[in-house]
Amino acid sequence: MLVILQVDPDQLPKRVIVCGDPKRAASIASRLTNHRQIGENREYHSFAGSWNGTEVGVVSHGVGAPGAAVCFEQLAKGGVKAIIRVGTAGSYQPEIKPGSLVISTSAVRQDGLTRQLVPDGFPAVPHRHVVEALVRAAASREDGLLVAEGMTLTLDVFYNGVLEFPHKLYQKAGVLAVEMENTALFVISSLRGIKAGAILAIDGYADADLQEVYDPYTDEVARAVEAEALIALDALADLPL
């Protein structure tokens, strides 16, 4: 038994989608054939089913790198071979508007968790097979959503303290978006031999100069969240292990 997820490893598929929100995990799982809940503990709600004939799991990991890392480590212990994170992020670039999608090709490690796992120079990168599968799945859709590929940034904080966020710095460096869990996934997956990747729905601008009103509950954001889940499902089913 995976004691923190409260999941029997024998029920856990080798391919898993992860997301922060337990309700979103349940919504994604409802699209699967023969979907069923296989575990529930704290923020970790786990489901299984099949997509296009391939067994797939869906697990929620909560908000922030430390709690998400517990989920990723448990999945690794359970024998999972591939993980795709579907999440939301704030855009750094004016052309990547709310309702767009970003496929992360690398992540800037500005979280605290991974600094306690690996040296500072250790890269946080997804597996190229997962990135390629996500790109193929996104290209096959005809919904007109902008899908960008590039660097993302992982931060631990959401609200300002007395220190300034490094938004301007990373915006100038060409980072596309900021979120809170990708580096945990990429570093842990590298350490544990898992193929991992991430696709993000843009729910606003992180830069206050671009943002007018932050509202992550618009119809355009909802469409992007739905699209990224379908892209991730198609990519997982297409991914060789």
Side-chain angles (χ1 to χ4, degrees), residues 135-158:
V135 170
R136 285 195 301 271
S140 69
R141 295 181 59 81
E142 298 179 353
D143 48 22
L145 291 180
L146 171 68
V147 182
E149 304 167 39
M151 289 184 292
T152 56
L153 168 70
T154 299
L155 282 177
D156 289 333
V157 291
F158 193 84

Side-chain angles (χ1 to χ4, degrees), residues 24 88 97-101 201-204 215-228:
R24 188 176 299 168
T88 54
K97 301 181 181 346
S100 304
L101 298 175
I202 299 301
D203 65 2
D215 182 4
Y217 302 110
T218 64
D219 289 343
E220 60 189 2
V221 173
R223 285 193 295 270
V225 167
E226 180 178 6
E228 70 172 349

Side-chain angles (χ1 to χ4, degrees), residues 92 153 155-168 178 180 205-209 211 214:
Y92 276 155
L153 168 70
L155 282 177
D156 289 333
V157 291
F158 193 84
Y159 293 106
N160 257 325
V162 296
L163 299 177
E164 291 295 322
F165 283 145
H167 291 332
K168 293 293 186 185
V178 57
M180 301 180 77
Y205 288 107
D207 184 356
D209 291 344
Q211 183 91 289
Y214 175 62

Side-chain angles (χ1 to χ4, degrees), residues 29-37 47-51 55-56:
S30 71
R31 298 178 176 276
L32 304 177
T33 303
N34 298 323
H35 69 275
R36 58 206 179 274
Q37 187 160 13
F47 306 85
S50 64
W51 180 260
E55 285 295 305
V56 173

Side-chain angles (χ1 to χ4, degrees), residues 109-120 154 156 170 187:
R109 290 174 47 217
Q110 282 295 308
D111 65 292
L113 172 101
T114 61
R115 293 178 182 178
Q116 299 179 62
L117 296 178
V118 292
D120 284 345
T154 299
D156 289 333
Y170 289 109
V187 168

